[in-house]
């Protein structure tokens, strides 16, 4: 009978411990169930050694998961920052071509709202069928694709589009679209192509003339002394014209390269202009042109490169003399405007029609092509003037009336800035 009692007592004790263990497990399970992922996990201490070991293991596992979760959050935050602040447009779409994410640059390119675009079919937000067809091809075929597209959203834009498929377990479930604005690159390519064409044309004309007269001389015209002299004079003139063209092209190239290592020094404008007037004196007298120099700031100096400043003023004054008929007048004025130097070169020449003024500073642009070439112009003089002015952070304006003359007004800061304006491209 005593053994039965002992056995019953043991069974009752085990059942009691089991109930205790179950209650502790239920309490631990409730704590875990109520726990927030961003809070530390604090489990109750158990009287059971085996259960306490399990609690320690769960707490260590939770800490490891917490560290991994924090790393993932930080990585995601970095990726979101990179995505949002990328200098190229970025758009992510799912396999149904619905927009999942779009960054600020892409919104700017397509003039759309990021929040309004999310979740919408790409063609609903970005009304560009060409782009939609490219994205569709990538999602269907799982192959990356690149192409250029043109946009007309107020401003003409040319975008280089690169689309890459997003794959999970070798299955395409979306695509990432990268958009780079190449409008300026395309425009520069066009400018270069036009420059090469213009240079070829400008060089071809005197070269053809030189070759033609040289062949005529070799065919026997050199035996006629008078003809020979006349032809050689023309050849010499055309060779000079080619030389001026090449020199002006090299000058323009140097200006466009934005060489910041040029020497900067104080320039006395009065002395510089006076020297130029001595150089052009014979040309002015040959046409009986009266040149007047008004200097309201004799000792005014500006910071700059003297060679470039000399070239700027020589081009303006020489042009004024060239395009002013005999008996006309050229007036030059400089004055101090506080922070800036004011320079005016005014003539009573042939003037410029209003429709030509906006293009006046373009390379090789001539109002009267035949007349300009006859006067020895290369078509680059005013382009050089514009680049010199811009390299000095200055401005240039043109006032002109057909048949009544032209005035160029230049304003230059007297103190040199180490950060000149963006270069002007024609």
């Amino acid at each position: 009978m005593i053994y039965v009692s002992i056995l019953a007592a043991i069974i009752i004790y085990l059942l009691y411990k089991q109930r205790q263990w179950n209650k502790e497990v239920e309490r631990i399970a409730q704590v875990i169930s109520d726990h927030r992922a961003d809070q530390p996990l604090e489990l109750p201490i158990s009287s059971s050694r085996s259960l306490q070991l399990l609690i320690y293991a769960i707490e260590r596992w939770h800490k490891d998961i917490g560290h991994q979760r924090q790393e993932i959050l930080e990585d995601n935050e970095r990726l979101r920052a990179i995505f949002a602040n990328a200098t190229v447009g970025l758009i992510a779409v799912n396999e149904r071509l619905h927009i999942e994410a779009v960054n600020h640059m892409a919104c700017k390119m397509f003039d759309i709202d990021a929040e309004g675009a999310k979740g919408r079919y790409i063609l609903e937000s970005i009304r560009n069928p060409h782009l939609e067809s490219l994205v569709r091809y990538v999602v269907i075929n799982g192959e990356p694709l690149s192409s250029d597209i043109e946009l007309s959203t107020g401003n003409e834009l040319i975008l280089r589009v690169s689309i890459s498929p997003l794959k999970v377990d070798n299955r395409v479930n979306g695509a990432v679209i990268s958009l780079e604005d190449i409008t300026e690159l395309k425009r520069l390519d066009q400018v270069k192509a036009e420059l090469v064409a213009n240079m070829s044309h400008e060089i071809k004309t005197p070269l053809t003339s030189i070759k033609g007269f040289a062949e005529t001389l070799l065919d026997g015209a050199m035996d006629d002394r008078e003809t020979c002299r006349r032809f050689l004079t023309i050849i010499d003139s055309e060779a000079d014209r080619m030389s001026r063209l090449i020199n002006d092209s090299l000058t323009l190239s140097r200006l466009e390269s934005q060489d910041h290592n040029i020497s900067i020094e104080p320039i006395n404008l009065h002395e510089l202009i006076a020297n130029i007037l001595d150089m052009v004196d014979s040309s002015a007298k040959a046409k009986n042109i009266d040149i007047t120099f008004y200097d309201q700031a004799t000792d005014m100096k500006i910071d700059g490169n003297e060679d470039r400043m000399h070239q700027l003023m020589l081009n303006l004054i020489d042009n004024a003399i060239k395009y002013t008929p005999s008996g006309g007048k050229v007036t030059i004025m400089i004055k101090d405007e506080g922070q800036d130097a004011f320079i005016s070169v005014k003539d009573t020449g042939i003037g410029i029609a209003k429709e030509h003024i906006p293009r006046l500073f373009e390379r090789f642009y001539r109002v009267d092509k035949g007349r300009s070439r006859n006067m020895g112009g290369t078509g680059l003089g005013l382009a050089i003037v514009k680049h010199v002015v811009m390299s000095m952070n200055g401005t240039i304006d043109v006032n002109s009336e057909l048949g009544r003359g032209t005035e160029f007004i230049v304003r230059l800061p007297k103190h040199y800035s180490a950060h000149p304006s963006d270069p002007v491209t024609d």
Side-chain angles (χ1 to χ4, degrees), residues 269-284:
L269 281 180
H270 178 90
E271 292 179 2
L272 184 139
I273 293 173
N275 290 335
I276 292 172
L277 292 180
D278 288 339
M279 291 175 59
V280 300
D281 184 59
S282 58
S283 300

Side-chain angles (χ1 to χ4, degrees), residues 21 24-25 28 43-62:
W21 197 87
E24 287 189 21
V25 170
I28 292 169
L43 297 176
I45 296 174
S46 174
S47 57
S48 167
R49 184 174 181 277
S50 59
L51 199 55
Q52 189 61 45
L53 289 174
L54 178 61
I55 289 171
Y56 289 152
I58 291 173
E59 288 178 339
R60 282 198 304 271
W61 171 80
H62 180 267

Side-chain angles (χ1 to χ4, degrees), residues 227-245:
T227 302
C228 180
R229 182 176 183 81
R230 182 162 58 86
F231 282 10
L232 288 174
T233 301
I234 295 171
I235 289 172
D236 183 60
S237 175
E238 294 294 334
D240 283 344
R241 182 176 155 197
M242 288 181 64
S243 178
R244 286 193 299 271
L245 180 63

